[in-house]
Amino acid sequence: MRIATWNVNSIRARAERVGGFLDRSDVDVLAIQELKCKDEQFPREVFESRGYEVAFHGLNQWNGVAIASRVGLEDVQLGFENVPGFGDEPAVEARAISALTGGVKVYSLYVPNGRELDHPHYTYKLEWLENLRLDARQQLDAEPEARIALCGDFNIAPEDEDVWDMAEFEGATHVSAPERDAFARLEEAGFRDVTRRFTPGPGVYTFWDYQNLSFPKKKGMRIDFVLGSPALQRAVSGARIDREERKGKGASDHAPVIADFDL
């Protein structure tokens, strides 16, 4: 079974490229983030014309998540238990969706950015990650052999080698100790990154900003992951980052991360 995760940075702007990726990649399940559209604007025909079922959750021009599958799509759930909201009157954003597909519970997650270390969005990010951890751990406690994949844009670079220059990130989000601790707690809860041993760094990234020629200058960040439960960790057989999808006209600023499992 092949599972991929990709922050497409606008599904409508990237519809043709996403269709081409599906044609070439032979993925069974694609977790998608940053749709930037309402549900009624989602281009479902891109997926259905290729034999994929698709579930999506978009509220406005920001955020948005989806899961496309050609191996079944059941028990679709939006958010997770006790998912926090954001704002003066806290509203739950379109940042998490999950579904049972091919015997695996796949999440598509768009973790809050955090903005700045002293911003309320940063506190929100840490709370969001902790409540995700509690929900995921509860599922493993109930079913230790559950096949669960936490896929998405985590907006965290967990290791120093996951950014091109740590000095450039001094005092910034994505590399702060509390964020990295939150990521580590997810792994301690049983959900480990299944891709890194097949795509070792340094210099291996999944995101490159559009500004300042970041991609050709190799100024990237590794912030997109597939975190597998113990049962999936034992089944992983390979992984790669499709840098080709960051190239050319109309590319997202993220590249797909792809993991293979012998199930």
Side-chain angles (χ1 to χ4, degrees), residues 89-139:
E89 297 182 6
V92 175
E93 300 177 309
R95 291 186 175 276
I97 189 171
S98 64
L100 185 64
T101 175
V104 179
K105 185 170 185 179
V106 175
Y107 283 75
S108 181
L109 303 167
Y110 184 35
V111 175
N113 176 282
R115 300 181 187 173
E116 298 172 352
L117 297 183
D118 58 356
H119 196 285
H121 208 259
Y122 181 78
T123 303
Y124 164 57
K125 178 179 190 174
L126 297 178
E127 181 184 4
W128 200 96
L129 285 162
E130 176 60 11
N131 288 7
L132 171 66
R133 183 192 70 81
L134 291 171
D135 178 73
R137 181 63 245 183
Q138 184 177 24
Q139 293 180 61

Side-chain angles (χ1 to χ4, degrees), residues 31-49:
I32 311 166
Q33 302 85 44
E34 207 169 355
L35 303 181
K36 291 186 174 180
C37 70
K38 299 178 181 178
D39 281 353
E40 58 267 27
Q41 298 171 313
F42 187 88
R44 60 190 308 155
E45 66 280 358
V46 170
F47 303 91
E48 293 174 348
S49 65

Side-chain angles (χ1 to χ4, degrees), residues 15-83:
E16 184 175 341
R17 289 196 66 129
V18 171
F21 171 74
L22 292 175
D23 293 339
R24 293 188 299 274
S25 64
D26 197 33
V27 298
D28 297 299
V29 183
L30 176 61
I32 311 166
Q33 302 85 44
E34 207 169 355
L35 303 181
K36 291 186 174 180
C37 70
K38 299 178 181 178
D39 281 353
E40 58 267 27
Q41 298 171 313
F42 187 88
R44 60 190 308 155
E45 66 280 358
V46 170
F47 303 91
E48 293 174 348
S49 65
R50 292 171 167 83
Y52 289 82
E53 298 177 78
V54 61
F56 44 88
H57 180 37
L59 297 175
N60 48 42
Q61 72 271 30
W62 309 112
N63 309 319
V65 284
I67 298 173
S69 171
R70 64 181 185 186
V71 290
L73 196 64
E74 304 174 71
D75 193 24
V76 175
Q77 298 179 21
L78 306 184
F80 47 83
E81 187 173 355
N82 295 322
V83 59

